[in-house]
Amino acid sequence: MTHPLLNLHNHTPFSDGAYTIDELCEAHLALRGVRVDGIGICDHLFCTPSSHPVSDEREFLRVFERETRRYIDEVHAARQRWAGRLTVYCGCEINWPLNRGMLPAIQRLMHGIDYVLFEFLDWAALTQLASQARRWPCPVGLAHADVRTAFPSTSLDQVVRTLANARIFYEINAKLMPLEQHAAWFDILPRHRVLVSLGTDTHDDLAVLGTLTTLRDFAQRHELGDKLFVPQPRAEAAA
Ligand SMILES: [Zn+2]
Ligand SMILES: [Zn+2]
C-alpha cells in the first residue's frame, strides 16, 4: 500500500503567504512527474502584536474568534471546490512562546482544524505540550524543528521518546534541508512510533514545491514511508 503524498505546510495571504489556496492547489497539480494527493493550508493563527499583548482569555477570544472562523470557513470552502482532484486539509501553525498562556482558549477554537503545527518550542515547552497533547481536539506536531538546536541539552533518545509517548508528530520541513545534516536524528526517529509529515513551508516562492519529492524520498529511504501522518478532515463547525 502506498501512502498518499501530502504537503501539509503552505501559507496563504491569510497570514504571510503570497498565493491563494486555489493557486497552491493548481501549482501542486502542475508539478511534473509526481502526483500530489493533498495539501494542507497551515497559516499562522493567533499572532498577537507584541506591542499589544492579549492577557486574558475573554479578550483573546474577542480578538481571534471571528478571524479563526473565517479562516476555517475559507479552507473548508476550498476543500469543497477541489474535491475529487486534491484533498485540502485545514491545519494551522501556532507560535508557542507567543500563545502558551492561551492554550485552553485556543483549544476551544479548533473545531474544523485538522492538525496543529507548533513552532519555536524549547525543551520546557515540549514537555508541557507532551503532557497535554493527547487531550488536544486534533493531532499536534512539531514544525520545522532542528532538534539538536532546539533541545541542546536533551538527548535525541529522550526527545524521540517524548514525541512517541505523547503522539506528537514530527514535520520533515524543507527548511531543514539538506536533511543529511540531521543524520543522527533521522537514524533514531524511525525506531520509535512517531509519525512524520512533509512540508515545504510555502510562502512566496512556488519553486519550493519542487522539494516535496526530495522530502518524500528521504522519508522513504529512512524507513519513514509507512509513518506518514494523514490528517482526518474534520466536518464544518457548528455555527
Ligand atoms: Zn514556522
Ligand atoms: Zn510555516
Side-chain angles (χ1 to χ4, degrees):
M1 197 192 103
T2 54
H3 268 69
L5 178 57
L6 309 176
N7 178 10
L8 292 180
H9 199 146
N10 299 281
H11 295 271
T12 77
F14 192 91
S15 61
D16 56 356
Y19 295 95
T20 65
I21 303 177
D22 288 347
E23 287 168 336
L24 288 166
C25 287
E26 280 161 19
H28 279 84
L29 288 181
L31 288 175
R32 295 239 198 112
V34 62
R35 162 79 194 152
V36 179
D37 301 287
I39 71 167
I41 305 305
C42 200
D43 271 308
H44 301 281
L45 296 185
F46 317 120
C47 297
T48 336
S50 49
S51 55
H52 179 68
V54 174
S55 52
D56 74 274
E57 201 165 294
R58 195 195 298 189
E59 165 82 350
F60 185 90
L61 290 170
R62 194 187 62 72
V63 174
F64 291 113
E65 191 160 22
R66 200 190 300 170
E67 177 184 302
T68 308
R69 198 72 271 141
R70 186 165 61 80
Y71 171 69
I72 295 169
D73 288 347
E74 213 178 281
V75 179
H76 285 197
R79 174 180 299 163
Q80 300 293 326
R81 281 200 302 284
W82 288 89
R85 290 178 284 172
L86 200 62
T87 307
V88 177
Y89 297 97
C90 186
C92 68
E93 185 169 24
I94 297 179
N95 179 316
W96 178 277
L98 199 58
N99 289 288
R100 62 183 188 174
M102 287 296 151
L103 299 175
I106 288 174
Q107 290 186 1
R108 288 168 55 189
L109 301 179
M110 291 291 102
H111 300 289
I113 296 274
D114 304 325
Y115 62 95
V116 175
L117 283 174
F118 281 105
E119 60 179 346
F120 309 136
L121 286 85
D122 59 12
W123 179 244
L126 181 59
T127 51
Q128 196 189 336
L129 176 62
S131 71
Q132 53 169 281
R134 292 191 192 207
R135 293 197 304 272
W136 269 71
C138 61
V140 300
L142 273 193
H144 51 70
D146 172 351
V147 295
R148 265 176 327 185
T149 312
F151 318 118
S153 328
T154 310
S155 71
L156 295 180
D157 195 63
Q158 200 173 351
V159 175
V160 77
R161 283 174 196 281
T162 301
L163 296 182
N165 288 336
R167 295 185 199 145
I168 296 170
F169 67 89
Y170 176 81
E171 181 192 42
I172 305 179
N173 186 297
K175 278 183 184 167
L176 301 173
M177 290 171 69
L179 297 165
E180 287 72 16
Q181 69 187 338
H182 309 280
W185 171 243
F186 286 113
D187 183 43
I188 197 170
L189 185 59
R191 294 193 244 135
H192 295 263
R193 269 188 210 222
V194 178
L195 295 181
V196 295
S197 65
L198 308 179
T200 60
D201 219 340
T202 320
H203 282 92
D204 58 4
D205 182 7
L206 292 175
V208 76
L209 301 184
T211 64
L212 183 60
T213 49
T214 308
L215 305 179
R216 192 257 327 257
D217 295 348
F218 183 87
Q220 284 176 346
R221 277 204 309 282
H222 288 76
E223 292 166 48
L224 292 164
D226 290 335
K227 292 185 168 173
L228 291 172
F229 166 60
V230 179
Q232 292 299 312
R234 279 153 201 263
E236 305 295 317

